[in-house]
Amino acid sequence: MKKTHPQKLAAVAVGAFGFTLSVAAVAHDHADRDHRDYHKPAQTSQVPTSGLEWFKAGEAAVLVNKRDVAQLRKAKNVILFVGDGMGVSTVTAARILEGQMAGRDGEFNRLGFEKFNNLAFSVTASANQQTSDSAPTATAMVAGIKTNDGAISVDQSINRTEPSAEVTAAKSVKTILERAEERGMSTGVVTTARFTHATPAVNYAHISNRDWEADSNLPAGATVKDIARQLLEFPYGDGLEVALGGGRSYFMPNTIADPEYPTQKGRRADGRDLTLEWTSQYNNSDYVWNKAQFDAVNPASTDHLLGLFERSHMRYEADRAQDAAGEPSLTEMTEKAIKILEKNRKGYYLMVEAGRIDHAHHAGNAYRALTDTVALSDAVKKAKQLTRDEDTLILVTADHSHVFTIAGYPSRGNPILGKTAVDGIATKDGLGLPYTTLTYANGPGWTGGLQRKEFNPANEGTVAAAYAGSKLRPDLTAVDTANPNYMQEATVPMSAETHAGEDVAIYADGPGAYLVRGTLEQNVIYHVMADALGMRK
Amino acid sequence: MFNTIFKFLSKLFALGLLIVLAACSHVPAKQAANTQIIDLSAANLPAVAAEFVTTRTGEEHEHDEHQALPAKVSWRFWRDSQQITIERPQLGLGELWQRDGQELIHRKLYHQDQRAIEFQAGDLRMLDITPSWQKLALLLDSQLLDKLTAEEIEWTDGIPTREYQGKVADTKWHVVMRLDVALPALIEREHGEFSERTELLNAYPLKAAPWQPTPVNGYDVIDFADLGDKESDPFVIKVQAQMGHEHHH
Ligand SMILES: [Mg+2]
Ligand SMILES: [Zn+2]
């Protein structure tokens, strides 16, 4: 057995990721030192090119994991990153896409969080679902219990449409964010979805039905408060310090024109403008709805920041540049949030959600799902830069997966959005037709027996894809499947592609991260965070 | 067979856009003396309300039963500089296009349910549904008109019209545009066994329209992006089932 070279590991550890050791970085570090004739390692990951180099890279990865990081138990801060719908196949495909877009080896590339030291599987089944929606899964992560479909931080004994505030209160489960506020910590939630959407909502709201986002969504006679209102009437600590996302219309009255889309109005029937209430009820507070205003926010002097950048969900990362009023990226929102939250000596809890990976998958559009996943990776990298492994636990996970697959036997380096090919020669299916590497098990991309519309770059419209003779699939030979609007094929016809039931991964780094191992029920995530913050009852 | 939203969309879309026109010169004149000839590429077309009927025969594509629509659909159209509304009272469906700055906002309206599905600009882009305002407003792509052979302007009962004919790709087109209101009086298209004829029945200045769009103020508007997470919403389930049944009329 070779002796380890502690000084080498230490040197590696000083890299971009602080204590996080990049397997890739270690690999070329070793390769470089052990083989003087090895060509100069690039700044980025270098793919081993021989059996010996692969062997050494594998060995180095084990040495990294042998390092004892268990000294770190107690966290001051916790950041929970959630990729909504970011199953393992999504992570793999996004890793390859990111690498290929940067001109690197995609398969050897790793997203920011894939370099974390600790990993577990998360079992996502909810109390009443084999394959779950985003409400009970987010509740599991943030409130520590499994519950039923649609439930926002209430337990499984509640009815799906419980209108009573009293009953809802009795069935509510305190969240990690609420406990953090009780302890005087700072708290924040950042998302690219509506701020009232299930994943962000579970942090600050308790309601039986995820769809009750504004008062106009509540049934007549309901006494439970809508989700948006619960953000403003949050009873713990001094309220959230950071609330960034989309969903402006749920906070604005239906009599007031939207600032970005003047032809549109808010959704609230109670006449309340919650954006105004935010700034009047908190000191040193600000409300912003566009990029310029967001950029102008000084974290040093702002203690409560509300940012709502779209009437509904924010843009996909792929479309963000086209927003008229401008939207901050997930990375920029994460940075602003940390800079506001870190002012609190007692620490902070922050959830950051890439909320639209899920939406792109539902639409059968792999490109936007993957580019939003890369955006999440970038946000995690920024959080790593801005925090210290000694005091900040960072978790990255998904609430559930999607029926998204990476298929065939494409050669290493084959474009991930392309057609499966070996050494550039397209592989054919049983009908003699080429097929894409990425497909869905169900969804709107179903083509069986039907004419399918394909993107036509000539006029930016659609064109009917030719079916050869009686063949049951379109011939993709002339189709540009890497086009951002390409809809991957699906086996079972459904107007929206569905979630999937297999486990998702949890990546963890920092104090408490050692608890993330094995196959965990999803609600264990809350307990890992609570343990790291010393909240265990 | 089941229909996907995407295909459903393209279908509605086709119905909306490739519509019809008609009646050429037999449409009674609603305007007389100072009739102006509108430049079809003008940024602001006159505000109008109109009534059309579309008839189809044959299937649009071979083995393509999902494309089938009722053989005859009448529909109404309202246009001003910022908003275009189409209603098909027979089907209880409508659609709305709004121009807001550079953005296009689109809603499918389900009048019986008092609900709407809204498409954000990014959704439309992802679905490759990115019509120009001109195309929505004229009910025809002006680039298509450019590819057809245009006749001289003809005046009938004080109404100026221009006729267009030709073949683009595999489709034979016959279009008559009413130049006083910038609307098609007739659109006929034909390919293979399939033919579709859309005829203008009546056109009015918007302010003089005898009927108004169904008010949609109280409608519960849901995002297209949210459909996938509303698997237990009875309306969403119903709409998806309707899509599946549409061809079984
Ligand atoms: Mg606080
Ligand atoms: Zn979903």
Side-chain angles (χ1 to χ4, degrees):
Chain A
M1 199 54 211
K2 253 183 180 303
K3 283 260 187 298
T4 50
H5 305 286
Q7 74 281 15
K8 277 185 205 168
L9 289 174
V12 171
V14 185
F17 263 165
F19 270 85
T20 307
L21 294 174
S22 146
V23 170
V26 172
H28 73 61
D29 178 83
H30 276 248
D32 190 37
R33 296 189 186 222
D34 294 347
H35 305 278
R36 313 239 166 230
D37 56 344
Y38 190 65
H39 47 76
K40 232 186 161 74
Q43 201 67 7
T44 53
S45 315
Q46 195 104 32
V47 185
T49 56
S50 68
L52 182 61
E53 287 172 14
W54 279 112
F55 190 87
K56 291 202 167 293
E59 182 181 51
V62 169
L63 298 181
V64 168
N65 284 354
K66 280 183 75 174
R67 204 167 60 100
D68 180 14
V69 292
Q71 316 309 326
L72 302 168
R73 290 288 190 266
K74 180 139 183 359
K76 177 184 173 194
N77 315 308
V78 171
I79 306 177
L80 173 60
F81 284 93
V82 181
D84 196 316
M86 186 180 70
V88 170
S89 56
T90 300
V91 173
T92 304
R95 157 213 297 174
I96 295 173
L97 181 64
E98 183 194 54
Q100 291 183 341
M101 291 198 308
R104 296 194 298 268
D105 183 280
E107 291 81 358
F108 204 65
N109 182 53
R110 293 291 181 272
L111 300 175
F113 50 86
E114 290 189 279
K115 298 166 182 172
F116 282 15
N117 282 317
N118 298 275
L119 183 72
F121 274 140
S122 171
V123 178
T124 64
S126 62
N128 71 340
Q129 294 176 294
Q130 191 171 65
T131 297
S132 300
D133 75 274
S134 293
T137 51
T139 297
M141 293 187 271
V142 161
I145 59 158
K146 295 256 171 157
T147 186
N148 290 347
D149 63 287
I152 302 293
S153 291
V154 287
D155 72 31
Q156 67 193 74
S157 66
I158 202 166
N159 293 321
R160 167 78 194 229
T161 54
E162 175 54 61
S164 158
E166 272 178 11
V167 173
T168 302
K171 314 227 177 245
S172 293
V173 180
K174 203 179 280 184
T175 71
I176 190 92
L177 184 146
E178 290 166 341
R179 289 188 191 282
E181 277 292 335
E182 277 183 337
R183 291 177 20 151
M185 296 168 67
S186 285
T187 61
V189 179
V190 169
T191 180
T192 51
R194 288 193 297 273
F195 200 78
T196 49
H197 206 239
T199 314
V202 294
N203 289 283
Y204 62 86
H206 301 272
I207 202 160
S208 68
N209 186 347
R210 59 178 287 175
D211 295 331
W212 293 346
E213 296 178 55
D215 65 322
S216 54
N217 302 127
L218 288 168
T223 52
V224 68
K225 296 171 187 169
D226 62 273
I227 293 172
R229 181 176 165 192
Q230 290 193 40
L231 175 68
L232 271 290
E233 298 182 10
F234 184 81
Y236 298 92
D238 62 352
L240 279 74
E241 276 68 27
V242 175
L244 297 174
R248 196 163 56 223
S249 63
Y250 295 77
F251 291 80
M252 292 176 55
N254 55 18
T255 50
I256 293 194
D258 184 82
E260 185 176 4
Y261 305 95
T263 62
Q264 307 295 314
K265 296 209 163 43
R267 286 172 181 257
R268 299 201 65 79
D270 59 9
R272 290 174 67 170
D273 186 335
L274 301 179
T275 65
L276 287 179
E277 291 186 28
W278 178 274
T279 48
S280 61
Q281 83 180 41
Y282 294 124
N283 293 327
N284 305 324
S285 59
D286 207 352
Y287 163 62
V288 296
W289 59 267
N290 63 44
K291 176 79 158 69
Q293 293 173 340
F294 171 85
D295 289 342
V297 170
N298 179 357
S301 56
T302 305
D303 295 335
H304 293 272
L305 175 62
L306 174 65
L308 299 171
F309 302 102
E310 267 296 318
R311 290 189 306 124
S312 183
H313 304 296
M314 290 175 68
R315 306 280 179 148
Y316 291 109
E317 177 59 25
D319 303 315
R320 191 167 58 84
Q322 277 139 351
D323 189 63
E327 291 182 9
S329 67
L330 191 63
T331 299
E332 290 163 337
M333 292 196 290
T334 302
E335 176 171 13
K336 192 79 83 182
I338 290 172
K339 288 184 169 168
I340 290 173
L341 299 174
E342 71 185 2
K343 295 185 294 182
N344 189 332
R345 291 177 171 277
K346 292 181 175 166
Y348 61 83
Y349 162 79
L350 170 65
M351 175 195 273
V352 178
E353 186 206 20
R356 307 214 63 198
I357 298 167
D358 180 66
H359 296 150
H361 275 326
H362 281 308
N365 180 250
Y367 179 83
R368 282 175 176 78
L370 299 182
T371 45
D372 268 34
T373 302
V374 173
L376 176 67
S377 165
D378 291 343
V380 173
K381 286 179 187 170
K382 177 57 73 177
K384 267 292 190 187
Q385 281 170 18
L386 295 172
T387 58
R388 302 186 318 137
D389 271 12
E390 288 83 353
D391 64 12
T392 304
L393 168 63
I394 299 184
L395 299 164
V396 182
T397 189
D399 47 356
H400 55 74
S401 184
H402 272 271
V403 293
F404 174 66
T405 64
I406 304 172
Y409 300 98
S411 297
R412 189 181 186 97
N414 195 57
I416 189 67
L417 294 168
K419 284 153 261 184
T420 294
V422 175
D423 299 332
I425 314 261
T427 308
K428 302 291 172 66
D429 71 1
L431 304 170
L433 298 168
Y435 57 91
T436 55
T437 302
L438 302 179
T439 58
Y440 292 93
N442 62 38
W446 181 63
T447 59
L450 294 180
Q451 202 81 27
R452 174 188 164 91
K453 300 270 192 244
E454 299 292 358
F455 183 69
N456 176 6
N459 61 5
E460 298 199 303
T462 53
V463 64
Y467 276 59
S470 59
K471 285 177 178 166
L472 299 172
R473 281 190 55 237
D475 186 347
L476 301 179
T477 304
V479 175
D480 175 15
T481 62
N483 184 285
N485 299 330
Y486 179 72
M487 185 190 288
Q488 277 71 21
E489 282 178 80
T491 309
V492 176
M494 305 198 45
S495 54
E497 179 265 7
T498 71
H499 298 176
E502 79 274 9
D503 299 349
V504 297
I506 313 169
Y507 307 85
D509 236 356
Y514 71 99
L515 297 168
V516 174
R517 53 189 295 202
T519 298
L520 304 176
E521 288 291 342
Q522 190 164 40
N523 57 315
V524 173
I525 291 171
Y526 164 89
H527 298 279
V528 168
M529 297 190 292
D531 188 272
L533 290 172
M535 287 175 178
R536 203 146 44 86
K537 284 189 289 193
Chain B
M1 301 275 323
F2 203 90
N3 222 333
T4 67
I5 284 229
F6 180 62
K7 283 157 190 143
F8 177 67
L9 281 176
S10 19
K11 187 199 306 177
L12 281 186
F13 211 57
L15 182 56
L17 293 183
L18 302 176
I19 279 316
V20 176
L21 287 294
C24 328
S25 43
H26 306 299
V27 173
K30 296 284 174 194
Q31 290 181 307
N34 312 327
T35 301
Q36 278 193 0
I37 292 190
I38 309 286
D39 174 2
L40 298 182
S41 62
N44 276 319
L45 299 172
V48 294
E51 204 165 15
F52 295 91
V53 63
T54 297
T55 49
R56 303 179 137 210
T57 52
E59 301 292 352
E60 170 111 52
H61 300 286
E62 234 180 317
H63 311 303
D64 201 11
E65 58 176 320
H66 76 291
Q67 284 284 352
L69 282 163
K72 186 167 185 177
V73 177
S74 60
W75 49 282
R76 289 170 177 170
F77 172 86
W78 295 262
R79 173 183 77 199
D80 69 19
S81 62
Q82 299 303 313
Q83 183 165 318
I84 289 165
T85 309
I86 293 171
E87 274 187 28
R88 298 176 192 83
Q90 246 171 299
L91 305 176
L93 293 174
E95 63 185 71
L96 176 72
W97 295 88
Q98 284 179 306
R99 184 149 69 158
D100 196 314
Q102 300 167 349
E103 290 299 346
L104 209 49
I105 296 169
H106 177 45
R107 288 183 187 157
K108 298 274 178 227
L109 308 169
Y110 297 84
H111 296 302
Q112 278 138 24
D113 299 284
Q114 304 212 354
R115 306 230 5 211
I117 298 175
E118 178 168 311
F119 297 73
Q120 312 292 343
D123 299 323
L124 295 173
R125 208 169 286 127
M126 178 168 64
L127 294 166
D128 282 329
I129 301 174
T130 51
S132 67
W133 187 258
Q134 212 70 9
K135 184 171 175 178
L136 294 169
L138 289 177
L139 295 166
L140 267 177
D141 193 340
S142 55
Q143 288 173 353
L144 170 72
L145 292 181
D146 292 344
K147 289 178 191 153
L148 304 177
T149 308
E151 305 294 331
E152 291 302 310
I153 296 176
E154 263 186 51
W155 291 80
T156 311
D157 298 336
I159 295 178
T161 59
R162 193 193 290 275
E163 197 168 355
Y164 300 80
Q165 302 210 55
K167 197 164 183 180
V168 176
D170 288 333
T171 302
K172 243 175 84 183
W173 291 88
H174 175 214
V175 175
V176 179
M177 294 301 293
R178 251 181 74 168
L179 302 178
D180 56 334
V181 289
L183 280 177
L186 175 71
I187 303 173
E188 288 178 315
R189 62 187 179 105
E190 221 183 288
H191 60 87
E193 301 286 284
F194 171 80
S195 69
E196 183 188 78
R197 172 185 173 91
T198 299
E199 211 173 305
L200 176 66
L201 300 178
N202 292 293
Y204 310 88
L206 189 61
K207 284 181 184 156
W211 14 254
Q212 300 301 320
T214 307
V216 295
N217 275 346
Y219 283 22
D220 180 14
V221 181
I222 59 177
D223 262 39
F224 168 74
D226 288 324
L227 291 179
D229 291 321
K230 291 195 179 289
E231 70 285 347
S232 56
D233 182 319
F235 164 72
V236 173
I237 293 167
K238 189 177 101 177
V239 165
Q240 294 177 347
Q242 276 175 356
M243 292 171 193
H245 289 130
E246 206 149 285
H247 58 285
H248 294 312
H249 51 274

